Amino acid sequence: MGIKFVTIGYYICAKTETPSYLGINSDSFISVSDCLCDHEPQIVYSHGWKPNGDKPEYINSYFSDKEEYLKMSDEAETLFENDLLGMDGRFMRKKDAVYFYEKYFAKSGFTLVSASTKEEYAGLTAGNLDIKVFESCTAEGELIGCDIIGWDISGFHSFMCNSIHKDFDDISFNRYGLLEESFEKAEQISEKIQGKGEPVDWIPVIIHKL
């Protein structure tokens, strides 16, 4: 019987060059940690969050005009107010992530991914969100690798944030900058690094491209 995974979130990840300090060879870089990768929508850029918060360079980069940006902003704030969108851009429901990706960000070089883990670890990723909104299902899409992450206040750290991955010389990374290892191997690594780096509970996740 296979492992039962729970999808703990969906992210629209910006196309990012691999940071050189990580010391890995990959064509691009995807992470559900907002320490390493920008995610959309960025709630702090939403209309009305702060005086003069509308950023022309942001609007002009991703939207056809200000009206489209304002519509997206209103929709993102509604999800945020209902605990369905996190500060770090984590969507709690697949349908919302797909909608925002297809309507606003598919044309801008972003990648839509899901993060899933064992059911026993899901509660460690909740933050202030209701665990009931997690989607207990078989992850869909193309499996593109694993990561090891830990929840901290409003977003995830990756074990790469503090270069903990450099403690292991028997692991490899793929063209997405993700672990090219089995979930079981990622789980073993997560157990070994507890107490290292950021003060978080490190858990293994699988990442699917949707």
Side-chain angles (χ1 to χ4, degrees):
M1 187 172 179
I3 300 171
K4 183 177 182 180
F5 287 102
V6 173
T7 299
I8 58 173
Y10 302 87
Y11 287 88
I12 299 173
C13 297
K15 186 177 181 180
T16 305
E17 291 186 5
T18 305
S20 59
Y21 71 86
L22 294 178
I24 63 173
N25 293 318
S26 63
D27 298 332
S28 58
F29 190 80
I30 289 175
S31 178
V32 299
S33 169
D34 60 344
C35 300
L36 299 171
C37 179
D38 288 335
H39 307 132
E40 293 293 342
Q42 297 185 54
I43 196 68
V44 294
Y45 283 178
S46 291
H47 177 65
W49 262 68
K50 48 187 162 182
N52 302 316
D54 301 339
K55 297 179 178 291
E57 63 272 21
Y58 174 70
I59 296 172
N60 295 335
S61 294
Y62 303 128
F63 306 100
S64 57
D65 52 37
K66 189 169 184 177
E67 306 314 315
E68 183 183 42
Y69 156 74
L70 290 173
K71 185 174 187 299
M72 184 282 302
S73 178
D74 286 342
E75 292 173 339
E77 287 192 57
T78 296
L79 290 182
F80 180 77
E81 290 167 358
N82 287 281
D83 288 336
L84 294 171
L85 176 67
M87 281 292 295
D88 64 335
R90 176 168 60 153
F91 290 93
M92 301 309 301
R93 302 187 301 193
K94 180 181 177 181
K95 66 178 183 179
D96 298 324
V98 170
Y99 169 79
F100 270 78
Y101 176 72
E102 293 182 345
K103 186 168 182 63
Y104 298 115
F105 298 107
K107 61 183 179 294
S108 303
F110 289 87
T111 302
L112 176 61
V113 303
S114 67
S116 305
T117 191
K118 276 184 176 179
E119 197 167 23
E120 66 192 78
Y121 298 136
L124 298 175
T125 72
N128 64 342
L129 300 173
D130 188 340
I131 192 69
K132 293 193 296 295
V133 304
F134 290 158
E135 298 182 350
S136 180
C137 60
T138 301
E140 302 174 11
E142 175 191 358
L143 177 60
I144 59 172
C146 293
D147 200 355
I148 299 170
I149 60 175
W151 181 260
D152 185 12
I153 303 176
S154 62
F156 289 112
H157 292 293
S158 165
F159 81 137
M160 301 177 77
C161 292
N162 295 120
S163 296
I164 302 174
H165 64 289
K166 294 180 180 179
D167 292 349
F168 301 87
D169 56 13
D170 62 340
I171 59 176
S172 58
F173 294 86
N174 60 28
R175 65 190 181 93
Y176 296 104
L178 294 168
L179 272 172
E180 186 72 3
E181 305 289 348
S182 66
F183 179 82
E184 290 79 6
K185 179 67 174 288
E187 189 172 31
Q188 292 169 10
I189 295 170
S190 70
E191 292 171 355
K192 292 178 181 178
I193 66 173
Q194 297 301 329
K196 293 186 177 182
E198 304 292 343
V200 299
D201 294 306
W202 294 113
I203 67 165
V205 292
I206 55 174
I207 306 296
H208 282 81
K209 181 180 177 181
L210 304 181

